[in-house]
Amino acid sequence: MTSARTTAFETLFNFRDVGGVPGLDGRPVRRQRLYRSDSPHRIDGADREAFGALGIRTVIDLRRPSEVHLHGRVPAYDGLVYQHIHPEHALWEESAYSEDLGMARYLADRYRDLATTGAAGLVAAIEVVADAEAAPVLVHCVAGKDRTGVVCALTLSLLGVADSDIAEDYARSTAASARFSEWLASSMPEAAPLPAPFLGSPAEAMILFLGELRDRHGSVPDYLIGAGLAPERIDALRGHLLD
């Protein structure tokens, strides 16, 4: 069974509608305008039909160029605009994970790094989301939880969504990652199991990231404006994504 925010796919495991949560002045974030997902390069057959039926106009692919080259992109169809925006960030392998540090702290640190080195890419993605003509928009990376999670968290924060609601949505990726891991094990049994941080998305990680971003920059809008986002783009974002 799927919720009102989820569409069933066979080869997408972390696809959902970002709308439906309360934002500024209690106004809900509009549904069917912004979606998030793991990489849709695998969709075919019934999945491709279901994807096309959503009327998605723009796909924002946050993966590294090497990831796009290796796996391919979302299948093209008439009316679809594909935007490859890569927020620069270090490979996670360069920062070893330890259970002593804890997953929430490890992930929050990686998101801090992304917000530091990849600020221009994050702003570019949000500029696309802010364009009403681009909607409905799908934002994705590989698993749909980290780079995608940061872009969606920043977007929802600009819309006035509470950190607790943002973190709750982010945490839904843990169950999706488990489904992906099961699929990977059955379809590619020779593949090594994914490291724990590639699968987990504890709500605390997003709470830490957003709180510490405000500590450093004053607010989420201040961070994004300082990184190059025009204030009028925030107004445009709220204009078409809030009911």
Side-chain angles (χ1 to χ4, degrees), residues 4 11 16 23 46 75 85 91 99 108 112 115 120 127 132-133 138 144 165 173-174 180 196 211:
T11 56
R16 58 187 178 274
I85 299 172
L91 292 168
E99 292 187 2
R112 176 204 62 211
E127 286 176 339
E133 295 301 314
L138 170 69
D165 288 332
S173 290
T174 297
F180 173 72

Side-chain angles (χ1 to χ4, degrees), residues 12-171:
L12 284 179
F13 307 94
N14 202 11
F15 186 100
R16 58 187 178 274
D17 189 335
V18 174
V21 290
L24 289 170
D25 303 320
R27 297 163 61 193
V29 178
R30 292 181 64 187
R31 296 185 187 274
Q32 300 178 329
R33 301 289 286 178
L34 177 60
Y35 299 94
R36 59 180 294 174
S37 178
D38 49 321
S39 178
H41 69 272
R42 294 181 298 268
I43 62 172
D44 203 357
D47 276 359
R48 187 166 178 172
E49 291 182 12
F51 188 91
L54 294 171
I56 291 171
R57 292 182 183 176
T58 308
V59 169
I60 302 173
D61 185 345
L62 301 172
R63 293 175 299 165
R64 297 176 183 277
S66 59
E67 292 169 329
V68 178
H69 177 74
L70 179 63
H71 298 294
R73 47 154 283 183
V74 62
Y77 58 83
D78 288 345
L80 179 69
V81 175
Y82 174 77
Q83 298 260 20
H84 180 223
I85 299 172
H86 172 223
E88 297 284 345
H89 59 290
L91 292 168
W92 281 20
E93 291 84 346
E94 298 175 14
S95 302
Y97 169 70
S98 73
E99 292 187 2
D100 290 341
L101 181 64
M103 188 180 297
R105 180 71 268 166
Y106 177 85
L107 291 170
D109 288 349
R110 301 291 72 71
Y111 303 159
R112 176 204 62 211
D113 296 344
L114 174 63
T116 301
T117 62
L122 298 176
V123 166
I126 291 171
E127 286 176 339
V128 176
V129 175
D131 182 1
E133 295 301 314
V137 173
L138 170 69
V139 180
H140 80 85
C141 51
V142 174
K145 79 175 185 75
D146 300 310
R147 291 163 285 192
T148 299
V150 168
V151 168
C152 289
L154 295 174
T155 299
L156 290 172
S157 188
L158 289 176
L159 295 172
V161 177
D163 286 4
S164 57
D165 288 332
I166 295 171
E168 181 180 353
D169 176 67
Y170 163 79

